[in-house]
């Protein structure tokens, strides 16, 4: 039987704050720099966003635990179309606050090869109408935003001329939102008229943010409360983050299991209740990670930060590979005042997958030099993006599986494509886009 992954923290007193003098608190807060968002993709500012032909304001078809989510969709008609005819819905991913659909257009239409139009422009040339779906609160529960996706599907069907089936999916969390929405519609016998479902580097088994970085975010918040908008701790604490992350800790001083967030358990039970995956559409998956089992060069247990600031020493390490009470972080003023160690947690940081530069962003905030190879680590492991047929709580032993000859019954998808290198999470790359366009060519 697999050992339960956990984290254990020791502090000099009842918590990190009470373990420190006011001067020491000030030194740590100063050393950690300005709070910001470390754990979400940077916005795409380059390039022009095409003006939408239509914009729909959307309200979820039902509340989730008393909360009714809202959002909007931007419709970009295909060349030669004056009404919606062959719709493809692409839902936005995780971050804090409202979607920026202009930014989403720029991101997915960014040229990936010289002389070749962007992905969304190619879709429009193929006669496919693009519907970008955004949410007013991306960080709330997935079930709430899935209700907005249901409304978007029904509105698309209502506005469409003819009877061409839909293609529905999303990037990152957007792929999970639409997975749930379509499955729920099938469970309730609502005709979604969707022929293909797709997920673009979506964490079907869960995503990964280094546990020690989660702890440092909480520590920073506790020692220097933020007043100008959300910080990284608030993002980690959000319902959507808890539902998406395989491992989650609730505070800098938390000791205990790391896969027991009640919100994640509840969401996965809800997903099973509605059917786990939609059954009617042909299911496609795209992974920013490689499929050959080779991840980034991040040796387990290697110190990324070893900050020396007068009497202060702050150390944070790449996630070790299993073992018991393996150190991941230490704060010292002479003697340790806070230490963190994991047990039975595998080497997620170096797994093949779509990457996020959380280590690099923290280094930039602190003003520390960092080797380029340490800036980014796995965020959505490839085995998660291809929906490996595993228990979403117990799949870490398969992080480095070679997906090249994966039997069909080993994934919940009908077809998938992995990138040729471990690229930034949700980034547009030639191998992924060309494969996806081939899948749509006969539709």
């Amino acid at each position: 039987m697999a050992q339960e992954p956990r984290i254990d923290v020791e502090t000099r007193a009842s918590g990190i704050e009470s373990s420190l003098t006011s001067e020491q608190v000030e030194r740590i807060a100063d050393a950690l720099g300005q709070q910001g968002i470390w754990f979400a993709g940077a916005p795409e500012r380059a390039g022009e966003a095409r003006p939408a032909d239509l914009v729909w304001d959307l309200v979820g078809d039902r509340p989730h635990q008393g909360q009714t989510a809202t959002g909007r969709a931007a419709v970009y008609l295909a060349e030669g179309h004056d009404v919606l005819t062959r719709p493809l819905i692409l839902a936005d991913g995780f971050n804090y606050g409202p979607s920026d659909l202009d930014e989403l257009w720029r991101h997915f239409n960014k040229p990936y090869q010289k002389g070749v139009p962007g992905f969304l422009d190619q879709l429009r040339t193929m006669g496919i109408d693009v519907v970008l779906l955004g949410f007013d609160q991306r960080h709330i529960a997935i079930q709430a935003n899935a209700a907005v996706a249901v409304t978007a599907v029904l509105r698309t069907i209502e506005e469409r001329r003819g009877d061409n089936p839909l293609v529905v999916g999303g990037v990152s969390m957007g792929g999970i939102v639409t997975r749930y929405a379509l499955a729920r519609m099938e469970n309730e016998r609502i005709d979604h008229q969707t022929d293909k479902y797709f997920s673009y580097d979506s964490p079907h088994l869960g995503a990964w943010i280094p546990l020690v970085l989660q702890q440092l975010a909480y520590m920073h918040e506790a020692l220097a409360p933020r007043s100008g908008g959300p910080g990284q701790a608030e993002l980690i604490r959000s319902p959507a983050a808890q539902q998406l992350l395989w491992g989650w800790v609730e505070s800098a001083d938390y000791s205990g299991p790391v896969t027991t967030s009640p919100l994640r358990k509840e969401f996965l039970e809800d997903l099973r209740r509605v059917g786990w995956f939609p059954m009617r559409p042909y299911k496609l998956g795209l992974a920013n990670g490689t499929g050959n089992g080779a991840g980034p060069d991040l040796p387990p247990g290697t110190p990324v930060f070893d900050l020396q600031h007068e009497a202060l020493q702050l150390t944070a390490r790449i996630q070790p590979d299993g073992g018991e009470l393996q150190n991941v972080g230490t704060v010292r003023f002479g003697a340790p005042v806070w230490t963190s160690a994991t047990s039975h947690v595998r080497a997620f940081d170096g797994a093949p997958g779509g990457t996020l530069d959380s280590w690099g962003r923290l280094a930039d905030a602190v003003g520390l030099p960092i080797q380029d190879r340490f800036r980014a680590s796995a965020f959505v492991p490839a085995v998660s993006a291809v929906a490996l047929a595993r228990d979403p709580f117990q799949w870490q032993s398969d992080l480095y599986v070679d997906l090249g000859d994966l039997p069909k019954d080993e994934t919940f998808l009908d077809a998938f494509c992995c990138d040729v290198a471990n690229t930034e999470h949700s980034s547009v790359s030639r191998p992924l886009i060309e494969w996806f366009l081939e899948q749509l060519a006969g539709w």
Side-chain angles (χ1 to χ4, degrees), residues 50-58 71-77 84 88-90 100-102 104-105 120 129-134 152 156:
R50 181 183 180 85
D53 295 295
L54 299 164
V55 176
W56 303 332
D57 290 323
L58 304 170
R72 61 188 41 81
V75 180
Y76 306 84
L77 298 176
L84 202 60
L88 178 146
I89 298 176
L90 193 166
D100 182 339
L101 296 182
D102 284 345
L104 188 61
W105 173 277
L120 301 182
D129 306 300
V130 176
V131 181
L132 298 184
L133 172 60
T156 301

Side-chain angles (χ1 to χ4, degrees), residues 100-402:
D100 182 339
L101 296 182
D102 284 345
E103 187 275 328
L104 188 61
W105 173 277
R106 286 191 293 266
H107 177 81
F108 273 100
N109 209 48
K110 184 178 181 179
Y112 58 86
Q113 183 182 358
K114 187 175 181 180
V116 176
F119 168 54
L120 301 182
D121 280 334
Q122 290 188 68
L123 290 178
R124 295 181 58 255
T125 301
M126 293 168 61
I128 297 173
D129 306 300
V130 176
V131 181
L132 298 184
L133 172 60
F135 310 102
D136 289 336
Q137 297 184 79
R138 288 174 286 178
H139 56 284
I140 64 174
I142 289 171
Q143 297 98 314
N145 278 326
V148 177
V150 170
T151 300
V153 169
L154 295 176
R155 178 68 178 272
T156 301
I157 292 170
E158 179 184 351
E159 299 282 342
R160 175 197 55 186
R161 176 191 291 167
D163 57 1
N164 283 312
L166 280 59
V167 175
V168 177
V171 59
S172 190
M173 181 192 74
I176 307 300
V177 169
T178 49
R179 167 185 164 185
Y180 180 90
L182 294 175
R184 201 200 88 191
M185 293 177 80
E186 290 182 0
N187 181 259
E188 296 171 0
R189 302 180 185 276
I190 301 172
D191 187 5
H192 53 58
Q193 299 184 32
T194 299
D195 183 59
K196 289 183 174 67
Y197 159 80
F198 70 93
S199 60
Y200 199 109
D201 213 38
S202 298
H204 292 290
L205 293 176
W208 168 257
I209 288 174
L211 300 176
V212 67
L213 292 188
Q214 296 183 43
Q215 292 175 312
L216 290 178
Y218 289 127
M219 185 185 300
H220 200 181
E221 178 188 63
L223 301 182
R226 181 179 172 87
S227 57
Q232 58 270 9
E234 194 168 351
L235 195 66
I236 296 170
R237 197 181 291 115
S238 69
Q242 292 189 50
Q243 292 174 321
L244 292 169
L245 289 172
W246 174 85
W248 178 79
V249 296
E250 63 187 50
S251 71
D253 301 319
Y254 169 77
S255 292
V258 298
T259 60
T260 55
S261 165
L263 290 180
R264 178 162 166 78
K265 282 187 169 183
E266 178 189 65
F267 171 65
L268 292 173
E269 289 170 0
D270 207 4
L271 193 55
R272 287 192 178 93
R273 179 186 61 80
V274 299
W276 198 238
F277 269 86
M279 293 294 104
R280 286 176 52 194
Y282 190 76
K283 293 175 281 294
L284 304 169
L286 300 93
N288 282 115
T290 64
N292 60 8
D297 181 19
L298 297 172
T302 302
V304 179
F305 303 126
D306 197 1
L307 171 64
Q308 304 280 344
H309 184 66
E310 297 177 355
L312 167 65
Q313 179 182 357
L314 188 154
T315 304
R317 301 176 183 275
I318 295 294
Q319 175 60 46
D321 193 17
E324 294 190 6
L325 296 176
Q326 300 294 303
N327 180 267
V328 292
T330 305
V331 175
R332 295 175 178 268
F333 280 97
V337 295
W338 178 89
T339 60
S340 177
T342 59
S343 299
H344 315 297
V345 178
R346 297 297 300 272
F348 273 84
D349 285 332
T355 64
L356 192 65
D357 62 341
S358 298
W359 290 100
R361 293 189 196 190
L362 176 56
D364 294 342
V366 175
L368 282 176
I370 183 173
Q371 295 182 43
D372 283 346
R373 67 181 178 128
F374 288 140
R375 290 193 66 87
S377 58
F379 177 53
V380 177
V383 293
S384 182
V386 306
L388 197 68
R390 298 290 187 272
D391 184 322
F393 293 106
Q394 299 179 12
W395 53 278
Q396 53 173 334
S397 62
D398 294 304
L399 278 169
Y400 294 83
V401 162
D402 188 335

Side-chain angles (χ1 to χ4, degrees), residues 78-93:
E79 292 181 5
H81 288 183
D82 57 3
V83 295
L84 202 60
T85 307
R86 293 179 64 204
L88 178 146
I89 298 176
L90 193 166
D92 195 14

